[in-house]
Amino acid sequence: SGCTSDQEAFQTSSLKDIAMMHEFPYHLIADNAYSLTEVVMVPYSAFDHHEFPERESFNFWHSQLRITIERAFGIYVRRWGIFSRPS
């Protein structure tokens, strides 16, 4: 309905349980709306870019990966209509 936050929806879904069953190197890529866990990777929040350039690099590549995933979902929706309505 759009009134549930992404974090709350994830916490109450079976996807969280499935993700927790897997061992490394499996991770879910999420934005700052989620909490960092053993299986959920989120970008670094506020930090000194000069002191931690590796965090800035991580955030850049993390963002690029999320953009690529979103584009793939867009292709699936346009091509086959999946993800555009409940199954």
Side-chain angles (χ1 to χ4, degrees):
S1 69
C3 61
T4 303
S5 71
D6 289 346
Q7 176 71 15
E8 184 180 347
F10 176 70
Q11 291 297 328
T12 59
S13 73
S14 59
L15 179 59
K16 178 184 175 219
D17 300 328
I18 293 168
M20 293 300 291
M21 289 188 312
H22 293 292
E23 299 287 327
F24 292 105
Y26 300 103
H27 295 86
L28 299 174
I29 304 298
D31 60 21
N32 286 340
Y34 294 85
S35 299
L36 177 66
T37 68
E38 291 180 5
V39 295
V40 179
M41 295 176 63
V42 297
Y44 286 100
S45 54
F47 60 91
D48 182 350
H49 296 277
H50 298 293
E51 188 174 348
F52 299 103
E54 66 280 0
R55 291 183 182 185
E56 186 171 13
S57 179
F58 174 85
N59 281 357
F60 173 79
W61 291 110
H62 184 276
S63 173
Q64 293 299 305
L65 181 57
R66 286 183 29 237
I67 290 168
T68 301
I69 292 167
E70 290 290 336
R71 284 188 359 234
F73 283 142
I75 291 168
Y76 292 146
V77 169
R78 283 190 310 277
R79 176 81 182 213
W80 295 291
I82 57 177
F83 304 125
S84 62
R85 61 190 172 281
S87 58

